[in-house]
């Protein structure tokens, strides 16, 4: 087996999902990239941009631009930290939660299409393996 091709497959899968998401999303100011940010934010009471960059492996510039877009559209709010004014807390709004429902439905439909002939046990195994690999790959963040 040529394990080098894993990157090709994972990259192609990701790009195809992004393209499909962008085609199906009709929410104002929401695209495949910031939809993932919005879902991540919805899973927490509040987050910082640094948490988003770390957990989603996205560069700070993109996160900053997309947070401004999401805030201006009313999907999130940003509030400076009371103690450390350099940090800003991002929280989801009711409009953002409603958008997340739509985003989840689209993502679920896409995954259902891709995984149609895959058993629940295989999906769970695949999920757990990807989660584990993703955690191990965080070590790459420390490389200079």
């Amino acid at each position: 087996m040529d394990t080098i091709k894993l990157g090709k497959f994972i990259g192609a899968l990701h790009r195809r999902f992004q393209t499909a998401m962008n085609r199906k999303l009709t929410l104002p100011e929401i695209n495949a990239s910031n939809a993932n940010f919005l879902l991540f934010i919805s899973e927490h009471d509040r987050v910082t941009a640094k948490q988003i960059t770390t957990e989603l492996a996205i560069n700070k510039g993109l996160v900053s631009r997309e947070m401004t877009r999401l805030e201006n559209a009313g999907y999130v709010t940003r509030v400076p930290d009371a103690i450390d004014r350099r940090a800003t807390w991002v929280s989801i709004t009711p409009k953002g939660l409603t958008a997340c429902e739509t985003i989840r439905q689209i993502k679920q439909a896409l995954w259902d299409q891709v995984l149609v002939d895959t058993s629940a046990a295989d999906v769970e195994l695949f999920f757990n393996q990807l989660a584990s690999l993703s955690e191990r790959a965080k070590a790459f963040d420390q490389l200079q």
Side-chain angles (χ1 to χ4, degrees):
M1 175 188 322
D2 186 357
T3 57
I4 302 302
K5 289 185 179 177
L6 286 172
K8 174 185 129 182
F9 298 140
I10 292 168
L13 183 65
H14 173 72
R15 286 186 296 280
R16 286 188 173 111
F17 263 82
Q18 295 290 89
T19 299
M21 284 293 297
N22 282 328
R23 286 185 188 134
K24 293 189 175 287
L25 281 167
T26 58
L27 299 164
E29 299 299 321
I30 300 289
N31 58 48
S33 292
N34 66 23
N36 288 326
F37 301 172
L38 203 56
L39 289 175
F40 178 77
I41 297 163
S42 76
E43 295 166 359
H44 304 84
D45 288 334
R46 61 185 190 159
V47 298
T48 64
K50 175 119 174 93
Q51 287 174 295
I52 296 168
T53 62
T54 301
E55 288 301 312
L56 300 181
I58 306 290
N59 75 54
K60 288 189 274 187
L62 177 61
V63 170
S64 179
R65 284 189 302 277
E66 294 301 329
M67 286 303 102
T68 298
R69 177 179 288 173
L70 291 172
E71 182 180 33
N72 290 342
Y75 295 110
V76 300
T77 58
R78 293 191 284 187
V79 177
D81 185 273
I83 297 167
D84 182 356
R85 302 298 278 177
R86 296 170 297 172
T88 300
W89 291 103
V90 181
S91 300
I92 196 148
T93 65
K95 180 179 179 180
L97 288 173
T98 300
C100 285
E101 291 174 23
T102 300
I103 294 164
R104 283 187 183 92
Q105 288 171 355
I106 292 169
K107 284 183 171 280
Q108 188 63 58
L110 293 172
W111 277 112
D112 288 348
Q113 186 178 346
V114 170
L115 297 170
V116 67
D117 294 328
T118 309
S119 72
D122 284 345
V123 171
E124 185 174 357
L125 178 63
F126 180 59
F127 178 92
N128 290 333
Q129 288 174 329
L130 280 178
S132 177
L133 292 171
S134 181
E135 279 301 311
R136 283 189 229 152
K138 286 181 181 178
F140 300 157
D141 296 345
Q142 306 308 315
L143 297 177
Q144 296 294 336

